[in-house]
Each structure stands twice: as C-alpha cells, then as structure tokens.
Amino acid sequence: MNIAIVEDTPVNLVVMQSLIKRLGDHDCLVFSDPELGLAWCLDNAPDLIIVDYMMPRLDGLEFVRRCRATPALRDRPILMVTAAAEKEVRYAALEAGATDFLTKPIDRNEFNPRVRNMLQLRASMAATSLRADELSIAVRRATEEIHLRERETVMRLARAAEFRDPETGSHILRMAHYSAIIGYQLGMSEEFVDQLLSAAPMHDVGKLGTPDHILLKPGKLSPKEMEIMRQHALIGYEILKNSSSPVLQMAAEIALNHHEKYDGSGYPQGKAGEEIPIVGRIVAVADVFDALTSERPYKPAWDLEHARAHLEAGRGNHFDPRCVDLFLASWNEIIEIHNIYQD
C-alpha cells in the first residue's frame, strides 16, 4: 500500500519510515514540508496518511480538513501524531476527520499495531468498494439485457400489428424517432426519451383486434366502420395495461391517447388540452405527420411541405401547439429521419 508521512522533524521521519519497512512491502513517501505533502496526497490519494499536528505554515488540523474536503480522501485512514497531553487537540482532530492517533515520542509498541490496523481497515474498505463496483456492473449489465429483451418483445408486437396493415412499411420506426425528437426538445429526461422511443411503436397495437375488411378497406369507411376502427385505441390499452414494465405502461398510455385532440374533439374519451397525457400529445403529432407522408391504400403520400402546413393548421385544435412548434423547429432532423427509414 501507499503510505504518506508528513512530519517536519527529520528524526521522527526516519523512525517512522524505518518502522513501516518492518511491517511489510509498502511504498512509503515522506514529506518534511506539509504543503508539499498535502499537494502529493491530494493528487495521489495514498492508502494511509500519517501527519504531525505541530507543523509550520500548515498544522495537522488544517491538513486533515483539506484532505477530507477532497472526495478521493474522504474515507482514507489518517493518523494524527500528537503529544499525549494534547486532549483538546485530539478532540479537534476527531472533528476534522482524523481516524486515530499516535503519541510522541514514537513508540514502536504503539506505532506498529495502530498502523497495521489502519492498513487492514483500508484493505477492507478497498475490497468492499471493489465488490460494490463489481455488483453495480453486474446489475447494470443484467438490467441492460432485460431492457434489450423487453425492447425486442415490444418491437415484435408492434410489427405484428403492422403486418395487419402491410402498407405502413417503416411507419413505426419513423414516428417513434419523430416522437423522441419532440420529447427531447421538451426537455424530458434521457430515460423518458429512451422509453418513448421504445413505447411509441406500440401506438396501434390495438389494430390486432380490428377486422380485416375494415382495416384493409381501400375506400372511405362508413360511420359504423369508423366506430369499429376507433376501438383500436381501447383495445391497445387493454392489451398493454397493468404491466410492471415502465415501457409497456407508457405504451398503454400512448395507445389510449394518441387519437385525442387538443380541443377535445378526439377519441376515445374526448380529453382536451393537458388532460391528454404528454406522451399522447407527442405521438399525435408524430403519428399524423408520418401517416400523411406515407402511402396508404386509400391515399397517396403527401409531400413534406404539405404535411408541415397541415400540422401548422392543426396547431391548438388537433395538436398541442408546443409539440408542433418543437417538431417544426427540428425540421432538418425530421427530414433526415424521413429519408433514412424509407418504406
């Protein structure tokens, strides 16, 4: 281990360095200048620091305080060297963060066990810290694997819904990335945006329950057929609700709310404004834009500028104005996503 001794009396330095050599194969650095010793300790975080109380320019109490103010040294053992009668100094040293004491004159019978105990303490703390780091890495890897499997399951379920409606092509990829852009621009956390990217493709999973003659009808739907089609929002919610997965919980909220309109004229519950969960308001913009710019059995694809004008016209009635504004403010990224994920 690395041991630093900071002591302005040369004879004490020699004695302590000699005693440490007998304790084992440790690297021992000595400093007669407390400021140089402190600078080295702050840069190198030794396993044990032995520091004298009475030193010029920088006494032991201030030395300990500065060490404890440095994150790398907050848990390192520090032995303060004091005279046996200096009880008030010892109390102050404990308040400053000293771990234990050595008394002058240096006594081998006291020095050896105290230093040995401090090195054992440091070894134990280092082993505990290493184990904690290993466990943290293992937990992070296991969590990442769970998230990857979860995302794969979510995407496969979304693809299953897509296969019911084969003309949509890469719709779920484009609208998911559009949604993530809006979430990011809203200032949402990285975790939120990441979940949104995974959950948004599930928005139309309820179409698994929509009859083919309605889902694939090339012409305009009748009022009765439209009523059946609209049930996909509730069906999707029923499929996804009550999951323990945060991604599927968000997906359920998206499935239920992505056809609500800001002015309250949407379905299935006629929510308005901020009654609509933010994920529903985000996906409404992304979904409609991509639906307009995609070819469907009942219509050709709109050009991007035409679809952009539609979003602007729907601002405040169909769509959350802020979501529209942030979407359009990221127009170059939107075009890039549109070009990358071609049908």
Side-chain angles (χ1 to χ4, degrees):
M1 291 190 176
N2 291 322
I3 302 171
I5 303 175
V6 184
E7 163 69 74
D8 66 319
T9 305
V11 65
N12 286 337
L13 279 177
V14 172
V15 170
M16 287 189 281
Q17 189 174 23
S18 176
L19 290 173
I20 285 174
K21 286 182 179 179
R22 300 178 186 179
L23 291 176
D25 187 18
H26 303 297
D27 293 327
C28 183
L29 285 90
V30 297
F31 300 90
S32 58
D33 184 326
E35 292 179 340
L36 291 178
L38 177 63
W40 187 88
C41 289
L42 296 181
D43 288 340
N44 296 276
D47 296 295
L48 172 63
I49 299 172
I50 302 173
V51 59
D52 187 25
Y53 165 61
M54 289 293 293
M55 296 185 295
R57 299 188 306 280
L58 180 67
D59 67 21
L61 294 179
E62 184 60 23
F63 189 102
V64 172
R65 291 190 190 99
R66 295 192 190 181
C67 286
R68 293 311 190 205
T70 302
L73 293 174
R74 283 177 184 165
D75 63 349
R76 300 302 166 94
I78 300 178
L79 283 172
M80 173 79 78
V81 182
T82 66
E86 295 176 325
K87 287 188 177 181
E88 294 301 324
V89 172
R90 292 188 174 212
Y91 299 153
L94 287 172
E95 288 292 331
T99 312
D100 203 350
F101 302 94
L102 289 166
T103 56
K104 292 181 179 180
I106 300 299
D107 180 349
R108 184 188 66 180
N109 294 325
E110 177 192 25
F111 184 91
N112 287 355
R114 288 189 186 277
V115 170
R116 189 183 299 113
N117 289 343
M118 291 300 99
L119 293 177
Q120 289 175 350
L121 173 63
R122 170 59 188 150
S124 176
M125 294 171 66
T128 300
S129 178
L130 178 61
R131 179 58 177 160
D133 290 343
E134 290 173 346
L135 288 174
S136 177
I137 293 171
V139 169
R140 185 165 62 250
R141 287 175 177 170
T143 301
E144 288 173 354
E145 290 177 3
I146 290 172
H147 287 166
L148 287 173
R149 289 195 295 270
E150 181 182 62
R151 288 178 183 176
E152 181 184 11
T153 301
V154 166
M155 187 58 68
R156 287 181 182 276
L157 187 55
R159 295 284 292 178
E162 185 186 42
F163 275 111
R164 298 287 325 285
D165 187 6
E167 298 298 325
T168 57
S170 298
H171 167 65
I172 61 172
L173 294 175
R174 289 191 299 267
M175 61 81 56
H177 282 83
Y178 295 155
S179 298
I181 286 176
I182 298 173
Y184 177 79
Q185 293 292 348
L186 282 168
M188 298 301 185
S189 68
E190 183 177 344
E191 180 182 14
F192 178 95
V193 174
D194 191 50
Q195 289 180 359
L196 181 60
L197 187 63
S198 297
M202 303 287 287
H203 66 294
D204 275 341
V205 72
K207 287 184 177 180
L208 290 169
T210 303
D212 284 347
H213 73 277
I214 295 175
L215 189 64
L216 303 179
K217 184 177 179 179
K220 185 177 180 179
L221 298 179
S222 68
K224 185 174 181 180
E225 290 171 333
M226 181 60 73
E227 183 179 347
I228 295 173
M229 172 65 85
R230 288 180 172 180
Q231 290 177 5
H232 81 272
L234 289 169
I235 293 171
Y237 177 73
E238 290 296 322
I239 290 172
L240 299 169
K241 71 176 185 178
N242 298 330
S243 171
S244 60
S245 161
V247 171
L248 293 182
Q249 291 170 11
M250 181 183 286
E253 201 168 59
I254 290 171
L256 181 64
N257 293 284
H258 73 287
H259 282 297
E260 299 288 2
K261 295 185 178 181
Y262 201 71
D263 63 4
S265 64
Y267 67 88
Q269 297 174 317
K271 296 177 184 177
E274 295 192 4
E275 289 181 329
I276 308 168
I278 186 61
V279 289
R281 285 178 271 151
I282 290 172
V283 172
V285 174
D287 184 37
V288 169
F289 179 81
D290 195 71
L292 293 175
T293 56
S294 302
E295 184 177 350
R296 296 293 172 86
Y298 50 86
K299 73 166 190 68
W302 291 19
D303 64 70
L304 296 180
E305 290 301 326
H306 190 186
R308 176 181 178 132
H310 181 84
L311 292 186
E312 292 173 334
R315 187 181 176 281
N317 45 65
H318 188 158
F319 308 112
D320 181 334
R322 192 177 178 203
C323 289
V324 171
D325 292 344
L326 294 175
F327 181 88
L328 298 181
S330 306
W331 190 244
N332 290 337
E333 294 175 73
I334 298 303
I335 293 175
E336 184 177 359
I337 290 170
H338 178 79
N339 293 334
I340 290 174
Y341 299 105
Q342 291 289 327
D343 288 336

